[in-house]
């Protein structure tokens, strides 16, 4: 299913060609990924308006690529917004001084 005038990066055709090269129909891949066929079609059409929020759509794209033996990183870089930069390891936070006041009952 092709959406005319939508070109959000060019990964859809790559996915479609890889799926066809493996002899898989959209329904076959959808069952393998546990997605609705409409989601697989939307990924191949790069129809972001038919997909859930971007973080889920990128996760679906990653799963799709891995299911076909493709490296998902170049495909994710073609998504709107690209790939989020890898998080830097956080520096250990300085220990905060927590003061505890122990109250003793008056005798």
């Amino acid at each position: 299913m092709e959406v005319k005038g939508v070109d959000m990066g060019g990964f859809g055709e790559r996915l479609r060609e890889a799926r066809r090269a493996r002899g898989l129909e959209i329904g076959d891949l959808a069952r393998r990924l546990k997605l609705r066929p409409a989601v697989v079609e939307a990924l191949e059409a790069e129809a972001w308006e038919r997909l859930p929020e971007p973080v889920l759509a990128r996760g679906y794209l990653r799963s799709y690529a891995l299911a076909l033996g493709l490296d998902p990183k170049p495909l994710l870089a073609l998504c709107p917004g690209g790939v989020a930069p890898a998080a830097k390891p956080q520096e250990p936070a300085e220990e905060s001084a927590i003061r505890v006041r122990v109250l003793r009952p008056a005798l």
Side-chain angles (χ1 to χ4, degrees), residues 28-102:
D28 299 330
L29 188 60
R31 278 188 294 283
R32 183 181 292 182
L33 296 173
K34 297 181 171 65
L35 295 174
R36 291 177 295 119
V39 172
V40 175
E41 291 171 351
L43 286 169
E44 289 185 0
E46 301 177 41
W48 293 96
E49 70 280 357
R50 296 185 314 189
L51 292 167
E53 57 270 8
V55 70
L56 286 176
R58 285 191 297 270
Y60 294 159
L61 174 58
R62 182 179 186 281
S63 295
Y64 188 141
L66 291 172
L68 297 177
L70 302 174
D71 180 7
K73 289 179 185 174
L75 299 174
L76 288 166
L78 297 172
C79 287
V83 179
K88 293 181 187 176
Q90 291 185 344
E91 297 290 325
E94 292 183 27
E95 290 186 33
S96 62
I98 299 175
R99 297 176 187 242
V100 178
R101 184 173 173 199
V102 178

